[in-house]
Each structure stands twice: as structure tokens, then as C-alpha cells.
Amino acid sequence: MRVIVKEDHRAPVVASMVWYRAGSMDEFNGTTGVAHVLEHMMFKGTKAVPGGEFSRRIAAAGGKDNAFTGKDYTAYFQQLHKSELPLALKLEADRMQNLILTAEEFGKEINVVMEERRWRTDDKPHSLVYEQLMATAFRAHPYRAPVIGWMNDLQNMSVGDARAWYQRWYAPNNAILVVVGDVEAKRVFELSRKLFGDIKPHPLPERKPQTEPEQTGTRRVTVKAPAELPYLMMGYHAPVLRDAERDWEPYALEILGGVLDGHEAARLNRELVREQRLASSAGAGYDSVARGPGTFLIDGTPSAGKSVEELEAGIREQIQKIVEQGVTEEELKRVKAQVIASEVFSRDSMFYSAMQIGSLETAGVSYKSLDTQLKKLQDVTAEQVQAVAKKYLTDDNLTVAVLDPQPLEQKQAAQPPKGLRHAN
């Protein structure tokens, strides 16, 4: 198991995270959602630490714990006083190898997960639109399936599926321990060696390349769901960071995202919301860190009296302006300052620092490249921003998902399912 420690002595606290390089992209057809289901089951106990006792012990020590599942990973964390780090690591080492999975507990928890799917996705039109956009944009890559899984797969899942996932991926040689806080790295290494050192690694399944075929035409999908307003989402295939030193396109795409969204003067907000009044809201998003292919997203809600077709035309016009005219140096300077300031300020959080390290490492990018990444962002030119817009924000690379609002049913607002205790 790899152990990464970042010392931060500003306060006597620590953030501890165990990251498993196994997320929804590693699932097989028919068992989508199993990574997230296993995350739930990891709190069901071991012989030494019965179900529910893990979190009670962390709380009794004055800390808090949680977990989350993504496309690329599953992670478990604790935030607590530095003196309680041995407790957190001991508990994690125990459930890495000794988890008890019973049909009875699985039967209870799978119902919680299905209700979570209803609450997070089925009852939320924008979530349904995103789910369908991804399922349409990706034909071969497992990113096409939602992290929480398709309902039919959840309904037919068994405790054996969860057990197989645990046995396949939960091993020290597929895990990264990240500790950030008021600690001494040497002592953390010694402690982790003591607590995790006797856990035997096992061979991991071969990870075969899963390359998405090139898209050769715009794809469209319409989602009908009860909602007050229509909604538009546009997704473009885009590269992600693979070599922090040599790559430049992911950095230019990050800056492009800042040009379109992220502040009052950003183009989508200024042009489409305030000036043209085409949209009540509009935004853009791009994440350069992923094990699989990237997606550059643009979304928006049309203003009253405006259609999604008009909004899409307005977004296309803004993209075309960048493709043809580029961005100004003043605009570039402002966006860089905001993007970089946000990045620097976020490092003040021990938790975010641990998140950043873990997400980079599970994606195969060294956390040691963080300063390089900041410098590369600063070095992005206006010509590079224009170039990535021209290369990637094209019709042949585009998937459009539209929400067609249906009459709202008279029902109570959806509430979080009972037993939901984690984020994902």
C-alpha cells in the first residue's frame, strides 16, 4: 500500500483517507452500482468492530467519518484530533481485510441504495438529464453507466456480487493512504506499516484499455420528466491530464471553462443571462483529472418565453466567437487570476488537500506535479484557449440532452432516504 503524508502544523487535527482504485468504471454489465453498494456495506462491521461501531468510535473520539464513490475510485475518510490517528488507521486496516458480508444486512442496505437512487436521480430532472447525456455520449466506455447504478441492476444484485467486488479490489496493493495534518511523516509511515503491513496483497484483475470510439456526428436525447422548466446540457468529448509536464490542452480547457463560467463577467453569464436574457442560468464545467476520457459540459435553463433551441443557438454563438476571435489578454489575465487563486486558497483545507492528492494519484497523475500544474495554468496563452475551443467544441464531438418538462405531480418534496449517511 502506498502511503502519502503532507505535514500541516497549523492546527492539531488530521484528515486521513484510504483510497481504493476501484470505481464504477471497473464494474461489469449487470452489476452497475456495486462499487457504491460495497461502500455502504463497509460500515456493516467486522468481528472485532460490529456494525455501526466504526462511526461510533470515531465520533466518541471527537471526529467524523464518511465515504464517497466515484467513477474512478472509492474513498473512506476521517477527520479528527491528531492523537486519534492510530484509531482511524486501525479501524481502516480491520475492515480492509475482515469485512463481514451477510445476506440479511445486504438485503437491508440494497433497499437504502435503491431509495437513494430515487432521491438523487429519479426524482431530480437535472440528474436524469446528466445521466442520459453520459449514456448517450459514451457508447463503449463504462463512464456511460451512472455511479449509483441502473435500477434494474440494483434490484437484481446479490450479496455475492458485493463480496466478489470486495475480494477483487479491496487489497493494500490497490489502496492509497493519504494523511494530511499536524503529524510527522516518519511516524505515520511507521504506524501504517505496523497496522497495514501484515495484510497480504493479492493479484489484481487485468485492466484492459477501454477506449471510446471517435464520435462522428452530433447525438441528441430528450428526457421527459415532471419539472417546472426546460433544461439543456451539452457535452463535448475532451482530453484529460496524463502528463502534467508535457500536456497543454487540459490546462487550456480549464481556462476556457473559466472564460465561459465562474464569475460575473464570464461570457455565458454576461451575454446569455444579463444582456440577451436568453437564460435564467448558464454554466460550464470541466475536470482535467480522470482515469477515463474527459467531458467538457455546458448547461443552462432558458428564460421565461425562451426555448432550449434558442438557448442552444446562443451558446453556439458564444463558442463560435471564441473560435473565430479568441479571447482578450485582459480576459485571460482575469480568468487565470481567479482559477489560480481558487486553487491556492483551496489548499488551505486539509481535507481538500487530501482529496486532491487522492484523486490525482488514483488517476495516475503524481501529486508532486501540483506546482507544475499551477505553472502550466499560468502559462496558457490566448491562442491555446482558442485552439482547444476550435478542436473540441465541435458538432461531431457533441452530445445534447434536453429536459422536456412534464406536468408536476402533487406530491411531497423528496426526502433523503432513511439510513443515508454518506456522500457519493
Side-chain angles (χ1 to χ4, degrees), residues 2 12 15 24 43 78 94 98 106 124 127 132 144 208 246 267 284 333 341-342 346-347 388 396 419:
R2 294 185 60 207
S24 64
F43 293 89
Q78 299 81 41
D94 178 44
N98 300 316
F106 179 86
K124 294 189 176 179
S127 297
Q132 287 302 307
R144 70 187 313 274
K208 295 186 178 181
R246 297 182 181 180
R267 294 197 179 197
K333 183 178 180 181
S342 174
S346 65
R347 294 188 186 184
V388 292
D396 281 352

Short mmCIF file of all heavy atoms in Angstrom, two decimals, residues 2 12 15 24 43 78 94 98 106 124 127 132 144 208 246 267 284 333 341-342 346-347 388 396 419:
data_model
loop_
_atom_site.label_atom_id
_atom_site.label_comp_id
_atom_site.label_asym_id
_atom_site.label_seq_id
_atom_site.Cartn_x
_atom_site.Cartn_y
_atom_site.Cartn_z
N ARG A 2 0.55 2.18 -0.86
CA ARG A 2 1.27 3.44 -0.88
C ARG A 2 0.75 4.34 0.23
O ARG A 2 -0.46 4.38 0.51
CB ARG A 2 1.09 4.13 -2.22
CG ARG A 2 1.72 3.39 -3.39
CD ARG A 2 1.59 4.21 -4.65
NE ARG A 2 2.25 5.49 -4.51
CZ ARG A 2 1.92 6.59 -5.18
NH1 ARG A 2 0.91 6.55 -6.03
NH2 ARG A 2 2.57 7.70 -5.00
N PRO A 12 -4.00 21.22 15.48
CA PRO A 12 -3.73 19.84 15.93
C PRO A 12 -4.76 18.84 15.42
O PRO A 12 -5.35 18.07 16.19
CB PRO A 12 -3.76 19.97 17.45
CG PRO A 12 -4.76 21.05 17.69
CD PRO A 12 -4.55 22.05 16.57
N ALA A 15 -6.56 14.84 8.62
CA ALA A 15 -7.51 14.21 7.69
C ALA A 15 -6.86 12.95 7.17
O ALA A 15 -5.74 12.99 6.63
CB ALA A 15 -7.84 15.16 6.55
N SER A 24 -16.88 2.98 -10.39
CA SER A 24 -17.91 2.42 -11.27
C SER A 24 -17.37 2.04 -12.65
O SER A 24 -17.95 1.19 -13.32
CB SER A 24 -19.06 3.42 -11.41
OG SER A 24 -18.64 4.61 -12.05
N PHE A 43 -19.55 -0.30 6.22
CA PHE A 43 -19.89 0.17 7.56
C PHE A 43 -20.68 -0.88 8.34
O PHE A 43 -21.17 -0.59 9.43
CB PHE A 43 -20.68 1.48 7.47
CG PHE A 43 -19.88 2.63 6.94
CD1 PHE A 43 -19.82 2.89 5.59
CD2 PHE A 43 -19.15 3.45 7.81
CE1 PHE A 43 -19.07 3.95 5.09
CE2 PHE A 43 -18.40 4.50 7.32
CZ PHE A 43 -18.36 4.76 5.96
N GLN A 78 -11.62 10.05 7.59
CA GLN A 78 -11.88 10.50 8.95
C GLN A 78 -11.20 11.86 9.15
O GLN A 78 -10.11 12.09 8.61
CB GLN A 78 -11.34 9.52 10.00
CG GLN A 78 -11.93 8.13 9.94
CD GLN A 78 -11.29 7.27 8.87
OE1 GLN A 78 -10.07 7.29 8.69
NE2 GLN A 78 -12.09 6.52 8.14
N ASP A 94 -8.64 -2.93 9.74
CA ASP A 94 -9.51 -4.05 10.09
C ASP A 94 -10.53 -4.32 8.98
O ASP A 94 -10.69 -5.47 8.54
CB ASP A 94 -10.22 -3.73 11.42
CG ASP A 94 -11.18 -4.84 11.83
OD1 ASP A 94 -10.81 -6.02 11.72
OD2 ASP A 94 -12.31 -4.50 12.27
N ASN A 98 -11.25 -7.77 6.94
CA ASN A 98 -12.12 -8.59 7.78
C ASN A 98 -13.61 -8.28 7.67
O ASN A 98 -14.39 -8.67 8.54
CB ASN A 98 -11.71 -8.46 9.26
CG ASN A 98 -10.28 -8.91 9.49
OD1 ASN A 98 -9.86 -9.95 8.97
ND2 ASN A 98 -9.53 -8.14 10.28
N PHE A 106 -27.17 -7.14 3.71
CA PHE A 106 -27.19 -6.69 2.31
C PHE A 106 -28.62 -6.37 1.89
O PHE A 106 -28.88 -5.37 1.21
CB PHE A 106 -26.59 -7.75 1.39
CG PHE A 106 -26.61 -7.35 -0.05
CD1 PHE A 106 -25.59 -6.59 -0.59
CD2 PHE A 106 -27.68 -7.71 -0.87
CE1 PHE A 106 -25.62 -6.20 -1.93
CE2 PHE A 106 -27.72 -7.34 -2.21
CZ PHE A 106 -26.68 -6.57 -2.73
N LYS A 124 -35.05 13.82 -9.61
CA LYS A 124 -34.38 15.10 -9.90
C LYS A 124 -34.13 15.20 -11.40
O LYS A 124 -33.21 14.55 -11.93
CB LYS A 124 -33.08 15.21 -9.11
CG LYS A 124 -33.33 15.30 -7.61
CD LYS A 124 -32.08 15.62 -6.82
CE LYS A 124 -32.41 15.79 -5.34
NZ LYS A 124 -31.21 16.10 -4.53
N SER A 127 -30.62 15.68 -12.82
CA SER A 127 -29.79 14.49 -12.68
C SER A 127 -30.12 13.46 -13.76
O SER A 127 -29.22 12.79 -14.28
CB SER A 127 -29.99 13.87 -11.29
OG SER A 127 -29.57 14.75 -10.27
N GLN A 132 -28.60 10.64 -18.77
CA GLN A 132 -28.87 10.27 -20.15
C GLN A 132 -27.84 10.85 -21.11
O GLN A 132 -27.53 10.26 -22.15
CB GLN A 132 -30.28 10.70 -20.54
CG GLN A 132 -31.37 9.84 -19.92
CD GLN A 132 -31.21 8.37 -20.30
OE1 GLN A 132 -31.11 8.03 -21.48
NE2 GLN A 132 -31.18 7.50 -19.30
N ARG A 144 -20.38 5.44 -19.29
CA ARG A 144 -21.76 5.59 -19.73
C ARG A 144 -22.75 5.21 -18.63
O ARG A 144 -23.91 5.61 -18.65
CB ARG A 144 -22.02 4.76 -20.99
CG ARG A 144 -22.03 3.25 -20.77
CD ARG A 144 -22.12 2.49 -22.09
NE ARG A 144 -23.16 3.03 -22.94
CZ ARG A 144 -24.43 2.67 -22.88
NH1 ARG A 144 -24.81 1.78 -21.98
NH2 ARG A 144 -25.31 3.19 -23.71
N LYS A 208 -7.95 -3.90 -18.85
CA LYS A 208 -7.74 -3.75 -20.29
C LYS A 208 -8.11 -2.34 -20.73
O LYS A 208 -8.99 -1.71 -20.15
CB LYS A 208 -8.59 -4.77 -21.05
CG LYS A 208 -8.16 -6.21 -20.79
CD LYS A 208 -8.92 -7.18 -21.66
CE LYS A 208 -8.42 -8.61 -21.41
NZ LYS A 208 -9.13 -9.60 -22.26
N ARG A 246 4.16 17.71 -19.90
CA ARG A 246 4.12 17.86 -21.36
C ARG A 246 2.75 18.26 -21.92
O ARG A 246 2.67 18.89 -22.96
CB ARG A 246 4.57 16.54 -22.02
CG ARG A 246 6.02 16.18 -21.69
CD ARG A 246 6.42 14.90 -22.40
NE ARG A 246 7.79 14.52 -22.07
CZ ARG A 246 8.41 13.45 -22.55
NH1 ARG A 246 7.75 12.63 -23.38
NH2 ARG A 246 9.65 13.17 -22.21
N ARG A 267 -18.44 34.87 -19.89
CA ARG A 267 -19.22 35.11 -21.11
C ARG A 267 -20.65 34.59 -21.05
O ARG A 267 -21.58 35.26 -21.50
CB ARG A 267 -18.50 34.52 -22.32
CG ARG A 267 -17.19 35.23 -22.62
CD ARG A 267 -16.71 34.92 -24.00
NE ARG A 267 -15.45 35.62 -24.30
CZ ARG A 267 -14.98 35.80 -25.52
NH1 ARG A 267 -15.66 35.33 -26.56
NH2 ARG A 267 -13.84 36.43 -25.73
N ALA A 284 -20.60 26.30 -17.28
CA ALA A 284 -19.72 25.35 -17.96
C ALA A 284 -18.88 24.63 -16.92
O ALA A 284 -18.62 25.17 -15.83
CB ALA A 284 -18.81 26.07 -18.95
N LYS A 333 -6.14 37.20 -18.40
CA LYS A 333 -5.48 37.53 -17.15
C LYS A 333 -6.44 37.41 -15.97
O LYS A 333 -6.08 36.88 -14.91
CB LYS A 333 -4.92 38.96 -17.24
CG LYS A 333 -4.13 39.40 -16.01
CD LYS A 333 -3.57 40.80 -16.21
CE LYS A 333 -2.78 41.26 -14.98
NZ LYS A 333 -2.26 42.64 -15.17
N ALA A 341 -6.16 31.51 -8.02
CA ALA A 341 -6.45 31.90 -6.64
C ALA A 341 -7.34 30.86 -5.98
O ALA A 341 -7.12 30.48 -4.82
CB ALA A 341 -7.13 33.26 -6.62
N SER A 342 -8.33 30.38 -6.71
CA SER A 342 -9.22 29.35 -6.16
C SER A 342 -8.43 28.10 -5.81
O SER A 342 -8.66 27.48 -4.76
CB SER A 342 -10.30 29.02 -7.19
OG SER A 342 -11.09 27.94 -6.76
N SER A 346 -7.85 26.85 -1.92
CA SER A 346 -8.40 25.54 -1.55
C SER A 346 -7.38 24.69 -0.82
O SER A 346 -7.75 23.79 -0.04
CB SER A 346 -8.90 24.81 -2.80
OG SER A 346 -7.83 24.51 -3.66
N ARG A 347 -6.12 24.95 -1.03
CA ARG A 347 -5.08 24.17 -0.36
C ARG A 347 -5.00 24.50 1.13
O ARG A 347 -4.33 23.80 1.89
CB ARG A 347 -3.72 24.42 -1.02
CG ARG A 347 -3.65 23.91 -2.45
CD ARG A 347 -2.24 24.00 -2.99
NE ARG A 347 -2.16 23.65 -4.41
CZ ARG A 347 -1.04 23.57 -5.09
NH1 ARG A 347 0.12 23.82 -4.49
NH2 ARG A 347 -1.05 23.25 -6.37
N VAL A 388 -8.11 24.99 -28.43
CA VAL A 388 -8.88 23.87 -27.87
C VAL A 388 -10.37 24.06 -28.11
O VAL A 388 -11.12 23.09 -28.29
CB VAL A 388 -8.59 23.66 -26.37
CG1 VAL A 388 -7.16 23.18 -26.16
CG2 VAL A 388 -8.88 24.90 -25.54
N ASP A 396 -19.37 17.43 -34.37
CA ASP A 396 -19.09 16.00 -34.44
C ASP A 396 -18.70 15.41 -33.09
O ASP A 396 -18.68 14.19 -32.91
CB ASP A 396 -17.97 15.73 -35.45
CG ASP A 396 -18.47 15.74 -36.88
OD1 ASP A 396 -19.70 15.81 -37.07
OD2 ASP A 396 -17.64 15.70 -37.81
N GLY A 419 -31.34 6.19 6.68
CA GLY A 419 -30.14 5.36 6.70
C GLY A 419 -29.04 5.90 5.84
O GLY A 419 -27.91 5.42 5.89
#
